[in-house]
Structure formats: structure tokens, C-alpha cells
Amino acid sequence: MAALRTPLPVNPGKGLGFMVLGASLHDILTRLKAQPYLYPKIDVTYSSSDPLGAPVAVALTHNGIRLRFDGPDQRLRLIEVLNFARLLLTYKDVDLVKQQDEHEAESINAGSTKPNGPAFRQIYHKLFGPTFPGEYLRPKEQSTYTTGTYVLSYPGVAFSFPLRDSAWSEKADFVELLSTSAAFPAKCLTIFDGSSWKEAREDLYTRPCPHPRSLALGGRGKEGSPDEIEFVKICGRGHIELLRRSSPSFHLMLSETTTQDLVAELGPPDAIYRKNDRRLSIHKARTRSGEQAPYASLPVQLDGQSDTDRNSVINTTDESDFDEAPLAVSSSGISTECFYNYFHHGFDIFVSCPSSPSPGLVPSDNDEDKSPISTSTDRLVATKLLLHANIPGSYPFNRYRRSRWFLDPKQIWVGDSTLNSESRFAVISTALQDAWRDTYVNEEQARSLQRAMVLNRGWGDSPGSSCELLGGWEESGDASKRDTEGRVSDGATALGNTELFGFPGLLFEVLKNDAVSCLTVY
């Protein structure tokens, strides 16, 4: 019963304890999973067909809490307390509900239907004070004993009180009505961003978040933390613009930006991963003359362990190098190529010796004008960027914060929309194929270069060794741990293997539902 004695302060419009509105799904889940004694059961519910469009819900059934996140940005939008007996809530250091003793708490947890929320008088007269009239939601079925719900709203917080429908009247004084025996103690507490629940729910999942994604930026030590990345703009030819929340943009130039630049602009990496794996270099396509074909590169992206606790050792990257640049080694003969893992930013950066620049997003005569970069091993620079989507049900779910990106709309677009991290891969692929169609020798070459490689995420003793290529789809994940609605618990994966599709300078890892799980820019 430890969770009952751990007070969680209610902060209207901000959050519940450490669960702050606007925080990323990755940060919240990482914090919850690091405290299994307080949060022993975590259920994640999502839309398996539209994981980036539909909201994601996290249910803490042992604690009586439900958290709702938007799909595109995966930020906390709504906090609901559904069982007041399973936790201790405070408001300005005053208990919201009388704390249950051990006998009462176990009785309620065993299935007692006795109301356990705060009474209207406690809320209105003692804790939060007067407010404007709320709204009454009538029951679907009308009878003498049916109850509706009266939602009493304050800025940033609302309480739902069951009310006998027969006692309701639009002319009645709501204070007097909720003070009678026709009203029951609150059954739900809701924390949101807005002046009232009625106003907030109109754009609950789309309104700008006032708080940062990172829990670290909301704490006392935020002055020393790097600014979070809002969007990543991919400009082509190795130019990547990182748009930050409050600081000026950082321009990452592949094969030019040094490790010192990365640490100065993005902070030190959360982890550094080294692995020399060039198994896929055999797939490097070449023309008869020995020159690279338009779609030559298919570098494989990351892997990781399932534990999201920061204190655990995380092997997160599986990489195979397709470039012909020499291997960077130290004076002791050990390879210095490595990945800088930025879990809180949502991406990895591969650091190695400089390599030839990739072309633009679309064919251009300027690609031939760019002078080749020296492949000297005297310095290490960023040569690849891997952007993670953090899609629920995918193999690497919750190892990284979701990273949002878009292709430069001045170069390529579809109608009035940009190609971005929420776009279906079918739309992205069609646009890029149309842009590069004139570079193919014939249709047969176009089809052969667009064949997908299947990446298996389920083989091997550890995720660090589970990168395997297959000839066709195979199911992975334990079906007993998920249902048709896309409910996953205890780290189960539901979306199986992925496919790799390559374009000049870009590699897409695509799930079965056509969502892009990872984009590699090189």
C-alpha cells in the first residue's frame, strides 16, 4: 500500500506530482517504470492503425490514474484521477480526501462500491472556493434512479459529481443542489490546461503546451540543461536544421559538424555506443562502371534494450556502414567511430571520419558543384542522424522521446502539405519517386531499387544483436499481451518486423501500418 502514503500534490493547470502537462510520453513512462514499487502496473492503449493520429492513453490501474497524450507530439494533455482511495492527493498541503486506514483501503481495493472522492462541500467551501456554474451531463437512459454527472470546473482542474437525474433543474442553484443528498462525492478529478473543462476539451490535443516536454527542463536545474528540439528540418545535401523551443536554431552539417559542436549545442550525449558491424555493406548497389547507383545506401538503424530506467545500461544502436570512408581508429588501434545517443532529444548521431556529401532532396545540378570532403581520420564529425518516432507497439518503443521532422517544403511537398514525421510512408515514397524518376535508366531499375529490406527485431539474445534481414514478413511479439485495440503492457511489441526503403541521403524504417518508425539522414 506504499502508493497510498505517497502524497501527490494537485497543481491546477500544471500537473499531478511529477506528471506535468506537456511532458513527453517517453519522460513520463521512464519515470513511472523507474518506480515499480509505486506504479506496479502500466497499460498503454493506442490505435494500431493510426498510432500517430489518435491519442495514447496510459492507465495506472493500481493507482487509479489515467493519462492521455496526443498522437503527433506525444505530450501529456489530460490527467484523470478515477479512484481516490488508491492514492493520497493534496492541495496546498491539505489532504483532498481523508486518508484511508489499512482496513478501509483494502476493502475499497477489494471491490467496494462505497464513494471515495471528496464531497462538494470540501471542494467548494474549504479548498478551492467559489467558481462559476458548471455543466450537467444527462444520463443516456432516463429513470427515477439514474444519475447524471455535474462537472464543476475551476481554471485547470475539474471535478465530476454523480447527481440523481430526477433532482436536476436548470433553474436550481447548483450550490444548494450539490449540497443535498441527491449529489454524491466526486468520482473523477481532471487536470488540464484551460480556463474550464468545457473550453479546454474543444482543442485539448492540439493547443500549444505551456510547459516543456522534458521533466528536467521544468525542474530547478533547467538553467544547465540544453534547450529541447521542437522540429528537425531536413534540407538535403547534409544540411539539417534543428529548431529549438526558445533558442536559435542549430544547423547540423553532416561531415562538417564536430563532436565539440554537438556537445556545445546539444549537451553531452546520454550514452555513447560503439559497434563495428558492416554486415550489410554487401548490399551496396553499384552500376557497371563501379559508380554508386542513385539509391545505393541502406544503412541500418538502431536497436535497444527494453528497460527504460536511466540507471540501466542501454545498448541502443545497431549500425552498418555503407560509405567507403576509412575506419577511424585511435593511436591504440581501437575504433573511435560511435553513436551519440540523445534519448531525451529523440535521435542518435553517428560520429566518424568525414565522408562524401549526399545529394539534395530532389535532383539538382548543384549536387555536382559541391567539392568532395576530405576523408582524413584526424578528426571526427557527425556523418549520420537517426530520428526516432517512438511509435507504440514498435520494437524500440520508449527508448527515445519522439522526434518530429519535415522535409524542406521549398524543395518537395504534396499539395499544400509538407512531408513530415506524421505522413504515411506511401505518400512520402510516391513524392520522392516522382522527384527522382528521371534519374532511373528504366522502369525495371526503378522497381529494383525500391524493393524493401525486412528488418527483424526479435531474434538474438539481446536487442543489440537482433538486427536480422529476412526475405518476407514474420510475426513478432507475444499476441497474448495485446488485444485488437492495440493495448500493450510489460514491454510487449505489437507491430512486428519493419521494412527499410532507401532514397538518396534518406533511409526510412517503416512499420506494417505504414508509419515511419525511424528516418536516417546521411
Side-chain angles (χ1 to χ4, degrees), residues 33-54:
K33 295 188 73 173
Q35 305 176 77
Y37 54 94
L38 292 179
Y39 307 99
K41 185 173 179 56
I42 305 172
D43 290 334
V44 180
T45 305
Y46 63 96
S47 170
S48 57
S49 61
D50 188 19
L52 300 180

PDB file of all heavy atoms in Angstrom, residues 33-54:
ATOM      1  N   LYS A  33       8.308   3.727 -14.807  1.00  0.00           N
ATOM      2  CA  LYS A  33       8.920   2.401 -14.801  1.00  0.00           C
ATOM      3  C   LYS A  33      10.130   2.339 -13.870  1.00  0.00           C
ATOM      4  O   LYS A  33      10.552   1.247 -13.482  1.00  0.00           O
ATOM      5  CB  LYS A  33       9.317   1.994 -16.221  1.00  0.00           C
ATOM      6  CG  LYS A  33       8.119   1.822 -17.144  1.00  0.00           C
ATOM      7  CD  LYS A  33       8.511   1.247 -18.480  1.00  0.00           C
ATOM      8  CE  LYS A  33       8.847  -0.219 -18.367  1.00  0.00           C
ATOM      9  NZ  LYS A  33       9.081  -0.850 -19.681  1.00  0.00           N
ATOM     10  N   ALA A  34      10.685   3.489 -13.527  1.00  0.00           N
ATOM     11  CA  ALA A  34      11.802   3.521 -12.586  1.00  0.00           C
ATOM     12  C   ALA A  34      11.326   3.369 -11.143  1.00  0.00           C
ATOM     13  O   ALA A  34      12.155   3.235 -10.234  1.00  0.00           O
ATOM     14  CB  ALA A  34      12.590   4.815 -12.739  1.00  0.00           C
ATOM     15  N   GLN A  35       9.996   3.379 -10.915  1.00  0.00           N
ATOM     16  CA  GLN A  35       9.432   3.247  -9.568  1.00  0.00           C
ATOM     17  C   GLN A  35       8.389   2.126  -9.542  1.00  0.00           C
ATOM     18  O   GLN A  35       7.209   2.375  -9.304  1.00  0.00           O
ATOM     19  CB  GLN A  35       8.799   4.559  -9.115  1.00  0.00           C
ATOM     20  CG  GLN A  35       9.736   5.752  -9.189  1.00  0.00           C
ATOM     21  CD  GLN A  35       9.044   7.053  -8.824  1.00  0.00           C
ATOM     22  OE1 GLN A  35       8.811   7.349  -7.662  1.00  0.00           O
ATOM     23  NE2 GLN A  35       8.701   7.832  -9.825  1.00  0.00           N
ATOM     24  N   PRO A  36       8.787   0.896  -9.795  1.00  0.00           N
ATOM     25  CA  PRO A  36       7.813  -0.199  -9.878  1.00  0.00           C
ATOM     26  C   PRO A  36       7.096  -0.470  -8.565  1.00  0.00           C
ATOM     27  O   PRO A  36       6.003  -1.033  -8.558  1.00  0.00           O
ATOM     28  CB  PRO A  36       8.669  -1.392 -10.313  1.00  0.00           C
ATOM     29  CG  PRO A  36      10.053  -1.053  -9.868  1.00  0.00           C
ATOM     30  CD  PRO A  36      10.168   0.429 -10.013  1.00  0.00           C
ATOM     31  N   TYR A  37       7.695  -0.102  -7.448  1.00  0.00           N
ATOM     32  CA  TYR A  37       7.048  -0.319  -6.157  1.00  0.00           C
ATOM     33  C   TYR A  37       5.872   0.643  -5.965  1.00  0.00           C
ATOM     34  O   TYR A  37       4.955   0.357  -5.180  1.00  0.00           O
ATOM     35  CB  TYR A  37       8.059  -0.157  -5.025  1.00  0.00           C
ATOM     36  CG  TYR A  37       8.812   1.153  -5.055  1.00  0.00           C
ATOM     37  CD1 TYR A  37       8.382   2.261  -4.338  1.00  0.00           C
ATOM     38  CD2 TYR A  37       9.965   1.290  -5.831  1.00  0.00           C
ATOM     39  CE1 TYR A  37       9.054   3.458  -4.387  1.00  0.00           C
ATOM     40  CE2 TYR A  37      10.654   2.481  -5.884  1.00  0.00           C
ATOM     41  CZ  TYR A  37      10.197   3.564  -5.161  1.00  0.00           C
ATOM     42  OH  TYR A  37      10.872   4.757  -5.222  1.00  0.00           O
ATOM     43  N   LEU A  38       5.890   1.777  -6.642  1.00  0.00           N
ATOM     44  CA  LEU A  38       4.780   2.726  -6.573  1.00  0.00           C
ATOM     45  C   LEU A  38       3.799   2.551  -7.715  1.00  0.00           C
ATOM     46  O   LEU A  38       2.592   2.753  -7.546  1.00  0.00           O
ATOM     47  CB  LEU A  38       5.310   4.175  -6.580  1.00  0.00           C
ATOM     48  CG  LEU A  38       6.078   4.643  -5.357  1.00  0.00           C
ATOM     49  CD1 LEU A  38       6.547   6.081  -5.545  1.00  0.00           C
ATOM     50  CD2 LEU A  38       5.226   4.523  -4.093  1.00  0.00           C
ATOM     51  N   TYR A  39       4.334   2.187  -8.897  1.00  0.00           N
ATOM     52  CA  TYR A  39       3.484   2.040 -10.092  1.00  0.00           C
ATOM     53  C   TYR A  39       3.728   0.649 -10.684  1.00  0.00           C
ATOM     54  O   TYR A  39       4.433   0.497 -11.685  1.00  0.00           O
ATOM     55  CB  TYR A  39       3.806   3.139 -11.106  1.00  0.00           C
ATOM     56  CG  TYR A  39       3.730   4.527 -10.502  1.00  0.00           C
ATOM     57  CD1 TYR A  39       4.886   5.192 -10.089  1.00  0.00           C
ATOM     58  CD2 TYR A  39       2.503   5.158 -10.318  1.00  0.00           C
ATOM     59  CE1 TYR A  39       4.821   6.451  -9.518  1.00  0.00           C
ATOM     60  CE2 TYR A  39       2.436   6.413  -9.743  1.00  0.00           C
ATOM     61  CZ  TYR A  39       3.592   7.058  -9.342  1.00  0.00           C
ATOM     62  OH  TYR A  39       3.518   8.297  -8.775  1.00  0.00           O
ATOM     63  N   PRO A  40       3.156  -0.385 -10.060  1.00  0.00           N
ATOM     64  CA  PRO A  40       3.466  -1.757 -10.469  1.00  0.00           C
ATOM     65  C   PRO A  40       2.828  -2.187 -11.784  1.00  0.00           C
ATOM     66  O   PRO A  40       3.285  -3.143 -12.399  1.00  0.00           O
ATOM     67  CB  PRO A  40       2.915  -2.593  -9.307  1.00  0.00           C
ATOM     68  CG  PRO A  40       1.818  -1.758  -8.733  1.00  0.00           C
ATOM     69  CD  PRO A  40       2.256  -0.336  -8.886  1.00  0.00           C
ATOM     70  N   LYS A  41       1.786  -1.512 -12.233  1.00  0.00           N
ATOM     71  CA  LYS A  41       1.115  -1.923 -13.467  1.00  0.00           C
ATOM     72  C   LYS A  41       0.882  -0.712 -14.353  1.00  0.00           C
ATOM     73  O   LYS A  41       0.269   0.278 -13.930  1.00  0.00           O
ATOM     74  CB  LYS A  41      -0.223  -2.611 -13.153  1.00  0.00           C
ATOM     75  CG  LYS A  41      -0.916  -3.179 -14.384  1.00  0.00           C
ATOM     76  CD  LYS A  41      -2.128  -3.995 -14.016  1.00  0.00           C
ATOM     77  CE  LYS A  41      -2.856  -4.543 -15.237  1.00  0.00           C
ATOM     78  NZ  LYS A  41      -1.986  -5.355 -16.111  1.00  0.00           N
ATOM     79  N   ILE A  42       1.365  -0.794 -15.589  1.00  0.00           N
ATOM     80  CA  ILE A  42       1.234   0.289 -16.560  1.00  0.00           C
ATOM     81  C   ILE A  42       0.653  -0.288 -17.851  1.00  0.00           C
ATOM     82  O   ILE A  42       1.249  -1.183 -18.446  1.00  0.00           O
ATOM     83  CB  ILE A  42       2.596   0.957 -16.856  1.00  0.00           C
ATOM     84  CG1 ILE A  42       3.249   1.447 -15.552  1.00  0.00           C
ATOM     85  CG2 ILE A  42       2.429   2.102 -17.836  1.00  0.00           C
ATOM     86  CD1 ILE A  42       4.667   1.945 -15.741  1.00  0.00           C
ATOM     87  N   ASP A  43      -0.491   0.199 -18.263  1.00  0.00           N
ATOM     88  CA  ASP A  43      -1.115  -0.230 -19.518  1.00  0.00           C
ATOM     89  C   ASP A  43      -1.112   0.927 -20.507  1.00  0.00           C
ATOM     90  O   ASP A  43      -1.554   2.031 -20.177  1.00  0.00           O
ATOM     91  CB  ASP A  43      -2.563  -0.689 -19.287  1.00  0.00           C
ATOM     92  CG  ASP A  43      -2.630  -1.998 -18.531  1.00  0.00           C
ATOM     93  OD1 ASP A  43      -1.660  -2.774 -18.619  1.00  0.00           O
ATOM     94  OD2 ASP A  43      -3.637  -2.247 -17.839  1.00  0.00           O
ATOM     95  N   VAL A  44      -0.612   0.675 -21.699  1.00  0.00           N
ATOM     96  CA  VAL A  44      -0.589   1.679 -22.764  1.00  0.00           C
ATOM     97  C   VAL A  44      -1.591   1.271 -23.836  1.00  0.00           C
ATOM     98  O   VAL A  44      -1.496   0.167 -24.387  1.00  0.00           O
ATOM     99  CB  VAL A  44       0.824   1.811 -23.381  1.00  0.00           C
ATOM    100  CG1 VAL A  44       0.825   2.857 -24.492  1.00  0.00           C
ATOM    101  CG2 VAL A  44       1.839   2.176 -22.299  1.00  0.00           C
ATOM    102  N   THR A  45      -2.541   2.135 -24.121  1.00  0.00           N
ATOM    103  CA  THR A  45      -3.562   1.869 -25.128  1.00  0.00           C
ATOM    104  C   THR A  45      -3.409   2.877 -26.270  1.00  0.00           C
ATOM    105  O   THR A  45      -3.285   4.077 -26.023  1.00  0.00           O
ATOM    106  CB  THR A  45      -4.979   1.977 -24.535  1.00  0.00           C
ATOM    107  OG1 THR A  45      -5.071   1.105 -23.401  1.00  0.00           O
ATOM    108  CG2 THR A  45      -6.030   1.565 -25.546  1.00  0.00           C
ATOM    109  N   TYR A  46      -3.429   2.383 -27.508  1.00  0.00           N
ATOM    110  CA  TYR A  46      -3.207   3.233 -28.669  1.00  0.00           C
ATOM    111  C   TYR A  46      -3.949   2.639 -29.858  1.00  0.00           C
ATOM    112  O   TYR A  46      -4.462   1.519 -29.806  1.00  0.00           O
ATOM    113  CB  TYR A  46      -1.708   3.335 -28.984  1.00  0.00           C
ATOM    114  CG  TYR A  46      -1.101   2.002 -29.347  1.00  0.00           C
ATOM    115  CD1 TYR A  46      -0.957   1.608 -30.671  1.00  0.00           C
ATOM    116  CD2 TYR A  46      -0.703   1.122 -28.350  1.00  0.00           C
ATOM    117  CE1 TYR A  46      -0.419   0.371 -30.997  1.00  0.00           C
ATOM    118  CE2 TYR A  46      -0.171  -0.120 -28.666  1.00  0.00           C
ATOM    119  CZ  TYR A  46      -0.033  -0.490 -29.986  1.00  0.00           C
ATOM    120  OH  TYR A  46       0.484  -1.714 -30.313  1.00  0.00           O
ATOM    121  N   SER A  47      -3.995   3.383 -30.936  1.00  0.00           N
ATOM    122  CA  SER A  47      -4.598   2.904 -32.177  1.00  0.00           C
ATOM    123  C   SER A  47      -3.512   2.250 -33.018  1.00  0.00           C
ATOM    124  O   SER A  47      -2.578   2.921 -33.461  1.00  0.00           O
ATOM    125  CB  SER A  47      -5.248   4.060 -32.953  1.00  0.00           C
ATOM    126  OG  SER A  47      -5.624   3.650 -34.246  1.00  0.00           O
ATOM    127  N   SER A  48      -3.618   0.951 -33.252  1.00  0.00           N
ATOM    128  CA  SER A  48      -2.598   0.260 -34.036  1.00  0.00           C
ATOM    129  C   SER A  48      -2.633   0.671 -35.504  1.00  0.00           C
ATOM    130  O   SER A  48      -1.618   0.592 -36.192  1.00  0.00           O
ATOM    131  CB  SER A  48      -2.778  -1.254 -33.921  1.00  0.00           C
ATOM    132  OG  SER A  48      -4.080  -1.628 -34.332  1.00  0.00           O
ATOM    133  N   SER A  49      -3.790   1.122 -36.001  1.00  0.00           N
ATOM    134  CA  SER A  49      -3.889   1.546 -37.398  1.00  0.00           C
ATOM    135  C   SER A  49      -3.480   2.995 -37.601  1.00  0.00           C
ATOM    136  O   SER A  49      -3.034   3.377 -38.676  1.00  0.00           O
ATOM    137  CB  SER A  49      -5.318   1.340 -37.912  1.00  0.00           C
ATOM    138  OG  SER A  49      -6.233   2.112 -37.149  1.00  0.00           O
ATOM    139  N   ASP A  50      -3.611   3.828 -36.565  1.00  0.00           N
ATOM    140  CA  ASP A  50      -3.261   5.246 -36.672  1.00  0.00           C
ATOM    141  C   ASP A  50      -2.571   5.700 -35.386  1.00  0.00           C
ATOM    142  O   ASP A  50      -3.093   6.538 -34.651  1.00  0.00           O
ATOM    143  CB  ASP A  50      -4.520   6.078 -36.926  1.00  0.00           C
ATOM    144  CG  ASP A  50      -4.200   7.537 -37.233  1.00  0.00           C
ATOM    145  OD1 ASP A  50      -3.043   7.831 -37.607  1.00  0.00           O
ATOM    146  OD2 ASP A  50      -5.105   8.388 -37.090  1.00  0.00           O
ATOM    147  N   PRO A  51      -1.391   5.178 -35.086  1.00  0.00           N
ATOM    148  CA  PRO A  51      -0.739   5.480 -33.807  1.00  0.00           C
ATOM    149  C   PRO A  51      -0.254   6.912 -33.674  1.00  0.00           C
ATOM    150  O   PRO A  51      -0.018   7.370 -32.550  1.00  0.00           O
ATOM    151  CB  PRO A  51       0.438   4.498 -33.787  1.00  0.00           C
ATOM    152  CG  PRO A  51       0.751   4.249 -35.227  1.00  0.00           C
ATOM    153  CD  PRO A  51      -0.577   4.285 -35.933  1.00  0.00           C
ATOM    154  N   LEU A  52      -0.100   7.616 -34.792  1.00  0.00           N
ATOM    155  CA  LEU A  52       0.391   8.996 -34.735  1.00  0.00           C
ATOM    156  C   LEU A  52      -0.726  10.023 -34.845  1.00  0.00           C
ATOM    157  O   LEU A  52      -0.471  11.227 -34.718  1.00  0.00           O
ATOM    158  CB  LEU A  52       1.413   9.230 -35.853  1.00  0.00           C
ATOM    159  CG  LEU A  52       2.647   8.332 -35.817  1.00  0.00           C
ATOM    160  CD1 LEU A  52       3.573   8.652 -36.977  1.00  0.00           C
ATOM    161  CD2 LEU A  52       3.376   8.489 -34.493  1.00  0.00           C
ATOM    162  N   GLY A  53      -1.951   9.570 -35.076  1.00  0.00           N
ATOM    163  CA  GLY A  53      -3.075  10.490 -35.178  1.00  0.00           C
ATOM    164  C   GLY A  53      -3.996  10.428 -33.981  1.00  0.00           C
ATOM    165  O   GLY A  53      -4.503  11.458 -33.514  1.00  0.00           O
ATOM    166  N   ALA A  54      -4.211   9.237 -33.464  1.00  0.00           N
ATOM    167  CA  ALA A  54      -5.113   9.048 -32.332  1.00  0.00           C
ATOM    168  C   ALA A  54      -4.368   9.234 -31.016  1.00  0.00           C
ATOM    169  O   ALA A  54      -3.163   8.976 -30.930  1.00  0.00           O
ATOM    170  CB  ALA A  54      -5.739   7.655 -32.398  1.00  0.00           C
TER     171      ALA A  54
END
